[in-house]
């Protein structure tokens, strides 16, 4: 009988926040591995606000990043993490000083950050439990909304048929940095890839849709309807920022981006003619853990 528990960590450096996920993988004889989340820490550092407006990460956020990574290095140490990966997406990808910041963090904390593109990001997310939710006889449009970009993937016959990343993100929308032309491009592309199929379901991921799903009190696995999401969107808009924090119990850094996030999901549902959106609790960090495990078992 063989039994082993391995510990891995994933650091996801997004445009709206930086997350550390520590997970264990239990290996028992010839049974499939069991993945379990042990700890998830989220620090609300909005790198996108800097990058999308000034083209670089400012000194204040740079110092906050260093402190966050120092704390993440300590947490990984006390959790006895064997291996980790730190991936940065849209904001650091576009920052003129992105590589410079990555070098500084490596020097100060020992954490090595890899800056990845949208297609690499989509491929990592595809390593998650997403496939267990995709049925061969159904068609899905997977929509992952971030602060700087949104990744779309169409699944049909149990496999990915088309994938694309658009620079339509919540932080960009807050700063009025998404052109009508870009919205039109996304609309045309989604309508085009969904056109051959009579029925498409949406799969939504990202902190905002997870928050909306949690507040809906739907039982696990049940979808949100277009009507529900649309009415929730109207409700959000009827409140001031302060009211959203107080009455809806939203985090300060969530209470503003949740509105543009809703707009992206509703647009995707409208263009794909989807009546429902399913919300699997997965994201980039989950995919990173799977990718470390897959590389390890080779």
């Amino acid at each position: 009988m063989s039994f082993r528990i391995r510990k891995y960590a994933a650091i996801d450096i997004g445009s709206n926040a930086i997350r550390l996920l520590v997970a264990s993988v239990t290996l028992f004889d010839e049974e499939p591995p069991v993945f379990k989340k042990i700890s998830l820490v989220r620090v609300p550092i909005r790198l996108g606000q800097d990058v999308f407006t000034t083209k670089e990460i400012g000194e204040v956020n740079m110092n906050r990043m260093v402190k966050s990574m120092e704390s993440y290095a300590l947490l990984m140490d006390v959790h006895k993490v064997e291996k980790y990966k730190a991936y940065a997406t849209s904001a650091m990808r576009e920052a003129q000083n992105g590589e410079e910041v990555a070098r500084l963090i490596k020097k100060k904390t020992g954490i090595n950050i890899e800056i990845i593109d949208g297609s690499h990001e989509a491929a990592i997310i595809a390593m998650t439990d997403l496939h267990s939710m995709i049925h061969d006889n159904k068609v899905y449009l997977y929509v992952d909304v971030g602060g700087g970009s949104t990744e779309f993937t169409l699944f049909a016959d149990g496999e990915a048929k088309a994938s694309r990343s658009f620079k339509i993100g919540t932080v960009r929308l807050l700063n009025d940095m998404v052109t009508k032309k870009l919205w039109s491009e996304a609309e045309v592309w989604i309508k085009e890839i969904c056109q051959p199929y009579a029925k498409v379901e949406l799969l939504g991921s990202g902190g905002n849709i997870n928050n909306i799903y949690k507040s809906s009190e739907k039982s696990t696995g049940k979808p949100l309807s277009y009507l529900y999401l649309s009415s929730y969107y109207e409700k959000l808009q009827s409140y001031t920022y302060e009211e959203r924090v107080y009455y809806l119990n939203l985090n300060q850094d969530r209470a503003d981006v949740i509105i543009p996030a809703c707009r992206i999901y509703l647009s995707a549902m409208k263009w794909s003619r989807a009546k429902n959106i399913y919300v699997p609790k997965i994201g980039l960090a989950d995919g990173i853990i799977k990718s470390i495990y897959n590389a390890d078992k080779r």
Side-chain angles (χ1 to χ4, degrees), residues 8 13 40 43 62 80 91 96 104 114 147 157 164 195 225 239 263 275:
Y8 301 128
I13 302 164
L40 178 63
V43 183
M62 201 184 297
K80 294 185 168 60
Q96 290 173 353
L104 175 72
E114 293 177 56
D157 306 317
R164 194 159 163 193
Q195 193 273 327
S225 68
Y239 284 19
R263 185 183 168 193
K275 291 183 173 65

Side-chain angles (χ1 to χ4, degrees), residues 49-192:
Q49 190 64 44
D50 284 357
V51 178
F52 307 146
T53 54
T54 69
K55 305 293 184 190
E56 60 178 37
I57 296 164
E59 194 175 344
V60 171
N61 275 341
M62 201 184 297
N63 291 332
R64 291 178 74 204
M65 277 186 82
V66 170
K67 287 178 182 176
S68 299
M69 292 301 167
E70 284 172 343
S71 67
Y72 285 178
L74 287 169
L75 282 168
M76 289 193 290
D77 186 36
V78 296
H79 275 292
K80 294 185 168 60
V81 165
E82 292 177 45
K83 290 184 180 178
Y84 78 91
K85 284 277 186 186
Y87 286 142
T89 56
S90 192
M92 275 191 78
R93 189 158 66 227
E94 291 182 39
Q96 290 173 353
N97 61 344
E99 296 287 354
E100 181 190 327
V101 171
R103 284 194 296 272
L104 175 72
I105 287 169
K106 172 74 174 172
K107 184 182 174 184
K108 297 254 187 182
T109 71
I111 290 176
N112 184 51
I113 295 171
E114 293 177 56
I115 300 171
I116 61 172
D117 62 25
S119 58
H120 190 173
E121 190 177 345
I124 292 167
I125 291 168
M127 287 187 184
T128 62
D129 292 333
L130 189 61
H131 283 284
S132 66
M133 296 153 201
I134 291 168
H135 304 287
D136 290 357
N137 60 343
K138 289 188 175 182
V139 180
Y140 304 90
L141 179 65
Y142 176 71
V143 184
D144 181 45
V145 175
S149 63
T150 296
E151 274 64 52
F152 297 97
T153 305
L154 184 82
F155 289 93
D157 306 317
E159 59 183 48
K161 298 288 186 181
S163 186
R164 194 159 163 193
S165 177
F166 287 91
K167 288 182 181 180
I168 300 173
T170 57
V171 179
R172 283 191 210 272
L173 283 165
L174 277 183
N175 288 281
D176 199 25
M177 299 181 75
V178 179
T179 62
K180 284 183 180 177
K181 184 173 179 284
L182 192 54
W183 273 111
S184 294
E185 276 180 37
E187 179 180 356
V188 168
W189 186 78
I190 289 171
K191 283 181 173 177
E192 196 174 277

Side-chain angles (χ1 to χ4, degrees), residues 12-19 42-48 72 89 147 171 253-254:
D12 169 11
I13 302 164
S15 302
N16 197 44
I18 298 173
R19 300 167 191 82
R42 179 182 182 276
V43 183
I45 300 176
R46 192 167 283 180
L47 298 179
Y72 285 178
T89 56
V171 179
D253 66 307
R254 177 79 66 210

Side-chain angles (χ1 to χ4, degrees), residues 253-267:
D253 66 307
R254 177 79 66 210
D256 52 359
V257 293
I258 198 166
I259 290 178
C262 258
R263 185 183 168 193
I264 296 169
Y265 289 115
L266 284 167
S267 297

